[in-house]
Amino acid sequence: MLKENLEAVEKRVEEACARAGRKREDVTLIAVSKTKPVPALREIMDCGIVDFGENKVQEMCGKMEEITEPLHWHLIGHLQRNKVKYIVDKAYMIHSVDSLRLAQEIQKEAEKQDVTCQVLIEINIGGEESKDGIPGEEAIPLIREIAQLSRVQVKGLMTIAPPVPQPEDARGYFKEMRKLFEAVKAEQIPGVEMKELSMGMTGDFEVAIEEGATMVRVGTAIFGERQYAAQV
């Protein structure tokens, strides 16, 4: 079942790349495995997927204890400063940096553990009060400050588009993100490599690819609906 789901998603990724005149290898498919059990991840791993996305530090660390194969673990959820120490040497990339204070905490813990951490700056492209991330106009000033931190490498931007009735309705947000991405790149900030644009999820990833996403975060279309533990 999961293999068939993944094949269907892969076909959609390929077709979106073709429509945009892009190479398939220019887009990384991140299998969002939050709330999913390890056997489900292993089924997807057996299909050749090495990039997995998790929302919570504790869950990600737990899965990494069980799965020792070399994978790219992406922390895509909100990161609290008091949890940084648990993740800074484990995450392949942190997608949700949205403040200098968080970046400074990553720097502090990365120095202690003698590692360098790849991060994306989270943009709240829809200006939603309920979402984390910074307004687009704050991106360049924040990135300039974070670029001073030797152990924190800014690799690009991330966003979660607002919920919309149809995928096409998200296109404007993704266009805006691409413009911002190019604007930051044009600044040529020393130490900053604008390489990744992480945007697009199960409901809208094809539109995101057409508008320049280099990473898409797909969970439900691969694993099915999320399974949350029952509240006691």
Side-chain angles (χ1 to χ4, degrees):
M1 177 67 176
L2 296 189
K3 183 184 177 189
E4 286 79 5
N5 289 352
L6 180 61
E7 286 172 351
V9 168
E10 178 59 42
K11 187 168 186 288
R12 291 166 64 190
V13 171
E14 287 176 2
E15 289 172 351
C17 287
R19 285 194 297 273
R22 301 177 65 193
K23 295 176 184 172
R24 169 62 188 90
E25 56 264 33
D26 291 342
V27 178
T28 300
L29 174 60
I30 300 172
V32 177
S33 46
K34 59 187 180 183
T35 80
K36 297 301 176 183
V38 166
L41 274 72
R42 289 204 171 279
E43 203 173 323
I44 297 301
M45 287 166 60
D46 288 345
C47 298
I49 295 292
V50 297
D51 291 271
F52 288 86
E54 290 287 336
N55 257 37
K56 297 183 183 301
V57 168
Q58 189 173 355
E59 185 178 353
M60 183 167 142
C61 290
K63 285 176 179 172
M64 290 183 78
E65 286 177 9
E66 289 190 61
I67 301 173
T68 55
E69 291 91 334
L71 297 175
H72 292 164
W73 292 94
H74 299 257
L75 187 74
I76 59 177
H78 177 66
L79 177 58
Q80 295 171 297
R81 293 196 305 279
N82 64 351
K83 298 282 179 67
V84 168
K85 60 190 172 191
Y86 303 115
I87 207 77
V88 79
D89 64 330
K90 296 181 177 67
Y92 172 76
M93 187 172 283
I94 297 172
H95 287 229
S96 48
V97 173
D98 60 359
S99 71
L100 181 59
R101 288 180 72 193
L102 177 56
Q104 288 169 334
E105 188 65 28
I106 293 170
Q107 168 77 13
K108 186 177 88 175
E109 293 297 334
E111 282 180 342
K112 282 185 194 173
Q113 301 185 40
D114 195 23
V115 294
T116 301
C117 202
Q118 299 187 106
V119 307
L120 303 180
I121 305 304
E122 183 173 2
I123 306 297
N124 185 344
I125 199 65
E128 297 169 275
E129 286 185 19
S130 60
K131 280 194 183 145
D132 297 306
I134 60 168
E137 61 268 21
E138 294 179 17
I140 290 172
L142 177 60
I143 291 169
R144 285 194 183 282
E145 291 190 274
I146 294 176
Q148 307 299 315
L149 305 174
S150 60
R151 300 282 184 150
V152 184
Q153 294 185 335
V154 176
K155 293 292 183 180
L157 306 176
M158 180 272 246
T159 200
I160 301 170
V164 289
Q166 299 294 329
E168 187 61 36
D169 298 335
R171 191 177 295 275
Y173 297 112
F174 295 141
K175 279 184 185 291
E176 202 174 327
M177 280 297 298
R178 177 63 186 267
K179 277 177 62 179
L180 180 61
F181 178 82
E182 296 297 344
V184 177
K185 187 186 276 192
E187 292 289 310
Q188 297 186 319
I189 301 168
V192 171
E193 183 187 11
M194 291 302 288
K195 183 181 172 190
E196 304 294 357
L197 182 54
S198 172
M199 60 184 190
M201 303 191 295
T202 286
D204 54 20
F205 70 85
E206 290 148 300
V207 177
I209 289 171
E210 290 169 8
E211 294 302 332
T214 66
M215 289 179 162
V216 291
R217 311 177 304 271
V218 181
T220 304
I222 295 173
F223 291 103
E225 294 299 325
R226 289 178 209 145
Q227 298 156 344
Y228 292 107
Q231 297 296 312
V232 178

